[in-house]
Structures are given as structure tokens and as C-alpha cells.
Amino acid sequence: MKLPRTIPPLSTSHSLPTFRNLSSAIDPAQKESQFVDAITRIVRGKRPWEIALSRDLVSRRLNPTHVESILIGTLDEPKLSLRFFNFLGLHRGFDHSTASFCILIHALVKSNLFWPASSLLQTLLLRGLSPSEAFYELYSCYEKCRLSSSSSFDLLIQHYVRSRRSLDGVLVFRMMTKVCLVPEVRTLSALLHGLVHFRHYGLAMEVFEEMVNAGVSPDVYVYSGVVHCLCELKDLERAREMIVRMEESGCSLSVVPYNVLINGLCKKQMVWEAVEVKNGLYKKSLKADVVTYCTLVHGLCKVQEFEVGLEMMDEMLGLSFSPSESAVSSLVKGLRKKGKIEEALNLVKRIAESDVSPNLLVYNALLDLLCKCRRFEEAELVFDRMGKIGLCPNVVTYSVLIDMFCRRGKLDTAFSFLGKMIDTGLKPTVYPYNSLINGHCKFGDISVAENFMSEMINRKLEPTVVTYTSLMGGYCSKGKQHDALRLYHEMTGKGIAPSIYTFTTLISGLFRGGLIRDAVKLFNEMDEWNIKPNIVTYNVMIEGHCEEGDMVKAFALQSEMMEKGLAPDTYTYRSLIHGLCLTGRASEAKEFVDGLHKENHELNEICYTTLLHGFCREGRLEEAFSVCQEMVQRGVDLDLVCYGVLIDGSLKHKDRKMFLELLKEMHGKGLKPDDVMYTSIIDAKSKTGDFEEAFGLWDLMINEGCVPNEVTYTAVINGLCKAGFVNEAEILRSKMVLGNSVPNQVTYGCFLDILTKGEGDMQRAVELHDAILKGLLGNTATYNMVIRGFCRQGRMNEASELLKKMTSNGVSPDCITYTTMIHEFCMKNDVKKAIELWNSMIERGVRPDRVAYNTMIHGCCVSGEMEKAIELRSEMLRQGLKPNSKTCGTTSLIDSSSKS
């Protein structure tokens, strides 16, 4: 097969002389024109460009002006021009001029080849051209090519809008109008909506007026954007006028601008006007769509018109529209808050069972609602049904279920669902982890909660304020307030802002742990985070100060909350009544209650029960009875708790007559003591050593159908141990196990307490404690008892070893642990070891209390460590702790030492 003879390329030695020989006869302009014609013939010809357009020719002879001329010459063949343009750029490394780009863009757009034109424009703009430079380059080529279509400029505006540079798009539009070019209406619509998206509402209105002045007839989408602007500017009157203007313009109408107006009206809570707009659609031959209905449902929920919202939802379902998740959620949430639980459930069930195809979002909403209403069994049935109708659970489904099981304390089941979720290929979000952490903090082991947090971080999930707050609450409930504070500082250090719930949880925990200064400091810190305390926060603060007996501060906080417009509730009043009674001021508490009654504040049984408890504690049983009569007169019935307090008071003050009268009165009202009340009575009898009557009540309790529980058993065991009847207590413990009641730490603590007191029997105490540890029932209190036993017998080495074992077993020593050992070291004049132990306590974050300071100061003074005693006393006073009489007795020694 013969190969065809190849024609030598222009760059070869055969062709170059031709140009060289003609150079004397042809002027330069003609010469350039001939060169361009020759290249154009090559481009249009069938010769391979790889040969004909050699590297030598392109690099030596071809320049950007030649390419521009060639591209102008091939305007009618844009695909060919694009191939030539790309060949030079990709295969010959040719640096095209901006004009070449613009000419080719015009050619492509002219032939409706918008995608390659757009790609070319993007490449051109990567050169860093400003909007004005890009426009003038395009316009220069537009005139040079004598084009009639301005679509390339539309492409430039559209590019800026897509690139989120709508302001540059406005600049191009205004430059176009100056040279009498007008973009297409769809381009202007995109530009207008781009401005609206970035909230440039005023500028969008200017562009609208400019386009109208330029002779553009706006379409329905332009009008939609303008109505949106006016609604956002809260100029609803002009928005209505714009709708009228649109209707009069004769443009093709759609429901979209009306939906925008409806949304604007709903945002301003003008819901009934929005409903009128929807009702007027049929006169315009338009029909409301799913957006119309969902917007109205949202609007109606905002103004608490849930019943009308329900009607609107029914109408939507009747039209076979599938409501949005947010519309369903808003309505369901509103109905639930209004107490209309059944209506909310029926709605979600109706949506799930309607002709609309099964919707996972709807089923998730139903699951969530059932879980929030604590109807867990129904929720599980719904989940089973989802599988039967072929709905695959998503991340939301699993998150709801995991949260449900965690709320019920079924932590193993919750964890298994997390495993199922991961096995199906779904990536867990922060929500299921937060549920598991919260569940373990409330019902399980806090160390497991910590592990879940570590797992979260390993999965690249950032812990949220909810994560941290749950763990803080868990630490506080376990008495680890310092760990909770450490976590708070870690969270804020990472830039995660605490919530009102964070502050309330932590303040409550700090008060419970006796860290009053830290609690007050944290309360004051809320201002720095721009978080205003709510009624719950104030109640926690008031309760904390009341527990400390600081009633001046408690009442000051009540006044402060009222000044801020927060009305105290029964919880507030209960705390204040309790605080007054706790400080032996039951009479003042009674005056406070009477004052509230005169001001028409309604108090519940808990408030009155607190007052009764105060009088009973002071032995003023007659006045307690008087309060009961007033309760009845004020419409508050005496419940079992009230009777329980009175019975407890009568037993403590050995008023048998009153005790029997109260039981008789209860039976007369049809009230029977429950297991709590029987346990309280049996406990009181056991503490006084009246075991005959205690066991008589025990039998009565069983006859009344109340089953003794571990608290009842422990109460009697405690009484028997303290009375010296350890063997009898042991027999009762054996019966306790047979009666299906499991002994707890407190039960075993009763035996430990008696075995470690006085001479005691430390061998049996240690054996018992080892058994407690094997049963995972050991805690700080049980360790403290054994340490106390060793200390009382002077066996400090064994006490120290047990302290080490305690910490290695993950049980945190408390102030009592350290104070017990410090006291014994001081008694042995070994103040050096006492100080070492003190420093160890501080390093572990255990805050010394008043007893600890007094013990240490006294020990230092006796041992002549006056400098340390002075330092400790100053520190104690700074903490707001008062020295006791023994410490005060050393004050003169300290002062004289200071002077010397």
C-alpha cells in the first residue's frame, strides 16, 4: 500500500524561502494578511495540524494578533475555532491574548454553545481581570466582530452571580446599559435573586427600577424577587402593590410570588391576611401548592393558632400534598405544648397512613413525639411497622431510638442500636453519643460516659455544649465537683459557649458539694457570656443559700429575680420556707407563708409540708397541727407526705398519743400508710431502741400489703447494731436476702460502723469490707469507716495503705477521709505527716472544710508549727470559714507568735 506524498509544512526549508523571496515585492501588511490566510487554510484544511503547524512555525511566526484574525475569520465555525484555540494552547504552549478568548466566547455563544463558552470565560477570568476590564474586552471584540447578540455579556453576569459575586454582576449590567445593551430578563432575574440571597435588598430594588427603565418587561420570577425584598424590608404595603403591578403587567402568573407574600405576612404575624391571600388564589386561576400550605401552618403555629393549623394540615392532606418535616414538627410541638397529645399523635398517624407515599420524616416525627410523651411501647411498635412497610431507618431514626432507651435506663439496648446503626453503613452524629453520655451519667457508670466522649472525638465528632453539660451533671451527682469545674474550663477554653442549662446544672452541683464561693462566682460569670439567669437558675441559687442558712442572700436573690420580671414559683417559696425552718425560725416561716396567702400566692402541699417539718423539728407539734387546719381552710388537702411528717415528729418527740391520733385520722380519711411512711415509723422506733414496737409495725406493714424494702431492713439493722444486737442484725440481713431485698452500701455500713468503733473488731471489719469490694458496693463512706477504725487503734500504716488502695480502685477520698487521718497524726504529734497528707488532699482537688482547718491549725499550734498555723488560719478566713472554740483558743498563741 502506497503512502500518499506528504506536503512539506510551512516551517520547512522548502517553504520559508518562498516568503523570503516575496518579501521585497509585498508590503508588511499584505505579508501578514497572506500569512493569516495561509494559516486559516491549514486550519480549515485536511492536513494534520501536528505537521502543518509545527512548533518552530508557531514559536517564530505566529503571534496573538494572527490568532485573533484567524478566529474572526472562522466565526461561523466556532467548534473548529475552539479546536484550533485548544491545540495551540495545549500542544504548542501558545499564550492566547484576552481578545482571542473574547472573540471565541462570542462565536460560541452566537452558535448557542453555552457550556464551552462558559468554561472559556471562567478560564479567562482566572487571569485576574476586574469586572470592568472583562466587560470592555468583551465589548471591544463585540464591536470588532460586528455582532448583534449581547448574550456573551449575559454569560458574564450569570458567571458572577454563580460565583456569589452579584455586586460585580450589577456593575456589568450598568456598563451594558451605558452602551445601549440590555441583558435578557432571565439574566436579570438571576442577578436580582443573587442580590436577595445576600440581603442586598435596597440594591435589588434599584436594579429592578433600572431594568424597567431600560425597557425590560419583568417576568413572574423577577416580581417574586422584588416582593421578597419588600417583605424583608418589612414594607408589606409596597409588596402588595407590587403584586397588583405584576397582575396588571400581563405577565404569566404563578403561585410563587403569592407564596413569598404569604411568607412575609406570616413573619410579621399577619396570618389572617396571609390566609386571605391564599383564599384569593382561585380567582386568579391559581392553586395553592404544598409551599403555600406549609408556610401557613408555620405562621399559624407562631401565633398559637394550632387548631386552625390542624385544619390547614387536613386540607393539605386532602389534596394529597406531602407536608414538610418542619411544618409537621412545628404543629406537633405546638399541640404537645398545649397538652393536646392525642391530636398530635393522630395527626402524625394520619400523615403516615395517608395516600401519600410512606415518608421516613413523618415516621421519625411520630417516633420522636411518642418518646417525648414517654409512650415507649408504642414507639417500639411504630419502629417495627417501619420495617414491615420497607422504610429503612436513617440517622435520625436511630438517634431518636437511642435517646428513648437511654431515657428509660436501658443503656445496653441503646448501645446495641448504635452498633446496628454503624453496621448499616450510617455515620453516627453527635446526637446519639450525647444521649448515651447523658444516659450513663444518670443511670450508669460515668467512666463509660467518658469512654463514649473519647470515641466521639476519635470519630472526628466535636463534643457540643450538651456533651459537656451532661458530663458535668454526672460528675456533680457523683460528688466530683472539681472534675465538673475542670470540664467547664476545658469547654470554654475550646470556645464552646455554655448554655443556661450548663450554668444551672453546675451551680446546683457546686452548692450540693459545699463549694459556695465557686457557685456564686459562676452565677456572676453568666453576665460575661451574655446569658440571663432564668427562674430555675434563681431557684437553684436560692435553694443553695437556704441550705447554707444564708437567708439574707436568699431573700436578696428573690428580690433581684422579681426586679428582672421573673415571678417566684412554689419551688422558690418552698426553698425559702425550708431555709427559715432550717435555721430554727419556724415562726418567721409561718409569717412568710401567711404573707404570701394574703397576697393571693397559691402554695402547694410541698410548701406547707416544709413548714410542718420545721415546727416538728422544733418540737412544736401543736403549732404544726394548727398549720394543718389552715391548710384545709385554704383548700390544700393533707396528703400522705404531710401525715408522714407529723407522725415522724410525734415519734421523735415520743408523743405516742399524737401518733395514734394521726394514724386514726388517716384511716378515717381512707388514707393508708405506704412503705415510705412505715419505714420512717419503724426507723424512728429502732433509733429509740423500741424494737418490740418496731417489729409490731413491721408485721402491720406486711398485713397492709406493703412489702419491706432494703431501706426498711437497713433502718432496723442500723438500730440493732447501734443497740449492740449485732447477731440479731446479722440474722435480719440473712432474712433480707431471702426476701429478695439486696443489701446496699448503707446496710453493710451499719455493720462496718459498729465493727470499727471503739475497740471494735478490725479483722471482721476488713473481711466484711473485702466482701463489699468484691460485690462492687465499696464507696467513699465504706472506706472511711475502715480507715477510721485503723486510726482509732493507732494503726496508721494500715490506714495509709488503705488510702492508697482506695485511690487505685478508682474511689475518690473526700474531706472526711483526710481529716480522720490528719487528726490521728496530730494526736500522735506527727505534724510532718499531717502536713504531707494536707498537701496531698489539696493536690487532689479536695477542698478542706471547717473541721479540717480547725484540726490542722490546732495540731500545728500544739506541735509548735506556728508559721503553718498562721498561714492556715488566714486561708481559712479567706474561704469564709469560722474557727471553732478550740481554734479560737489558739488565736492568742498565733497572734503572739506573729508579733514575735
Side-chain angles (χ1 to χ4, degrees), residues 739-755:
N740 295 322
S741 288
V742 181
N744 55 26
Q745 293 104 322
V746 182
T747 317
Y748 287 114
C750 298
F751 293 100
L752 273 179
D753 184 53
I754 200 70
L755 289 169

Side-chain angles (χ1 to χ4, degrees), residues 812-829:
S812 299
D814 61 9
C815 189
I816 296 169
T817 320
Y818 287 105
T819 306
T820 303
M821 294 184 68
I822 287 167
H823 175 264
E824 195 57 35
F825 279 125
C826 289
M827 290 292 288
K828 289 178 173 294
N829 288 325

Side-chain angles (χ1 to χ4, degrees), residues 192-213:
L192 197 87
H193 283 280
L195 291 168
V196 171
H197 181 74
F198 287 101
R199 300 178 180 275
H200 298 301
Y201 304 124
L203 183 58
M205 293 305 301
E206 288 177 24
V207 168
F208 173 72
E209 294 301 336
E210 287 171 25
M211 70 183 266
V212 172
N213 293 337

Side-chain angles (χ1 to χ4, degrees), residues 462-477:
E462 286 295 324
T464 65
V465 64
V466 177
T467 322
Y468 281 105
T469 302
S470 295
L471 272 170
M472 285 177 215
Y475 282 132
C476 288
S477 66

Side-chain angles (χ1 to χ4, degrees), residues 96 158 427 530 734 811:
H96 289 293
Q158 288 163 17
K427 289 185 179 179
N530 200 26
S734 303
V811 180

Side-chain angles (χ1 to χ4, degrees), residues 25 97 201 550 607 744 789 798:
S97 67
Y201 304 124
D550 191 348
C607 295
N744 55 26
E798 285 153 291

